[in-house]
Amino acid sequence: MWRRMLWPAAILTLWSGVALANPGIWEREWPDTDFAKTSIRDWGEIISGGPPKDGIPAISDPGFHRAADESRIGDREPVITVEIGNATPRAYPIRYLTWHEIVNDTVGGVPVAVTFCPLCNSALTFDRRVGGRTLSFGVSGKLRYSDMVMYDRETESWWQQAIGEGIVGHYTGTELKQLPSWMESWAEFRSRNPEGLVMAEPDYNRSYGRNPYANYDSSRTPFLYNGEMPPHGIPAMARVVRVGARAWPLDRLAASGEITEAGVTISWQAGQASALDSGQIARGRDVGSIRVRDGQGRDVAHDVMFAFAFHAFYPNGRWMLD
């Protein structure tokens, strides 16, 4: 559904993105957003992804049940795992986040936004507290360098998902705190946390478990992307593990199984299906799971994103090649 809906919009939005030198068209659509405050220099970078504001509905206050009671999710399907303090570990299945992209939740007393941008394969968890205020996030329907632009419902500021930073409005320049979380297979989460919690299926009419971006991660070029391609001959759609402003190609990690560099240990384990390959997420090819820990064995905030997105948002970032 999404790809059928987005492709016609691409022709119009890419043209209009080039034509726009100011945010006038967006100001009419977003009357409560302060466009006088922004870090955007070229408004041609902002384009419509097709769906309007909240056309992709974020989830708030999701339901959960015990991992042992879950029967819908395939063993190899990816989930985003969030473990905070002594709180019961929680799994957020990509089969749901593919269609909703943001889940506003509270784990161990910490308000969190669990996010997934399919076009960048970027799965990040943020603390929703900013300056003593707890924000609630939605999907704007806008893209920048093919990455989701989120917005907060309190000020209608725009936020770049890949970097967790405000780019338009009241919170321009404000950075959300990224929390350690990781993508792993459902079987991995369940075996480690049989009493853990898994997000329940949302009450929406969606084809959960289906991948509307079939074969996307084997394409040569990213969808709705108008930026530079990565250096060093790295394919645009290659997965990289981002830790801070460094990126390790996933192929290098899969070949060795574990790498210790730059103060972190990154491990790779087979068994997780790509969410952006087969028409059914559970049947996606094996891309493996990544875990990043520091010298004390603590989980480190990171992302597994496409190489083009790392280059777009970290143009001066360091590529950790062989």
Side-chain angles (χ1 to χ4, degrees), residues 31-251:
D32 297 322
T33 300
D34 183 3
F35 284 89
K37 294 184 64 177
T38 182
S39 58
I40 301 295
R41 295 183 179 181
D42 178 5
W43 284 95
E45 295 174 358
I46 302 291
I47 64 175
S48 170
K53 174 185 178 183
D54 295 323
I56 298 173
I59 300 294
S60 295
D61 300 318
F64 288 86
H65 51 256
R66 288 194 321 144
D69 298 331
E70 173 60 53
S71 59
R72 292 186 179 95
I73 305 172
D75 282 351
R76 296 172 59 250
E77 285 192 43
V79 300
I80 299 176
T81 297
V82 177
E83 297 183 3
I84 297 178
N86 295 321
T88 303
R90 297 192 180 194
Y92 300 81
I94 294 298
R95 61 163 42 216
Y96 306 143
L97 277 156
T98 294
W99 299 92
H100 297 283
E101 300 194 359
I102 300 173
V103 177
N104 295 288
D105 197 10
T106 301
V107 182
V110 179
V112 300
V114 182
T115 71
F116 177 62
C117 177
L119 297 182
C120 292
N121 194 64
S122 183
L124 300 169
T125 301
F126 300 107
D127 189 324
R128 294 191 282 120
R129 296 172 295 188
V130 177
R133 192 178 198 179
T134 299
L135 304 180
S136 177
F137 291 95
V139 182
S140 72
K142 304 293 180 285
L143 297 171
R144 180 170 174 243
Y145 295 131
S146 203
D147 180 61
M148 167 177 52
V149 175
M150 312 186 298
Y151 78 96
D152 69 76
R153 297 190 174 100
E154 288 67 30
T155 71
E156 302 224 341
S157 297
W158 292 7
W159 301 78
Q160 194 71 62
Q161 183 261 358
I163 55 176
E165 182 176 320
I167 58 173
V168 179
H170 176 75
Y171 285 114
T172 294
T174 300
E175 294 184 8
L176 297 171
K177 179 182 179 182
Q178 185 186 345
L179 302 173
S181 64
W182 57 93
M183 285 179 65
E184 62 183 338
S185 71
W186 168 238
E188 289 176 87
F189 177 89
R190 186 184 57 209
S191 64
R192 195 176 65 254
N193 304 293
E195 299 302 316
L197 297 174
V198 58
M199 180 178 161
E201 184 171 286
D203 189 20
Y204 284 83
N205 183 21
R206 299 290 189 276
S207 299
Y208 297 121
R210 187 173 70 84
N211 166 29
Y213 308 91
N215 302 314
Y216 177 60
D217 64 358
S218 60
S219 60
R220 289 190 174 183
T221 56
F223 186 59
L224 290 179
Y225 180 67
N226 55 2
E228 293 182 354
M229 292 299 164
H232 310 299
I234 298 173
M237 305 299 288
R239 285 173 168 83
V240 300
V241 180
R242 180 194 64 79
V243 184
R246 290 183 169 91
W248 284 260
L250 189 67
D251 286 350

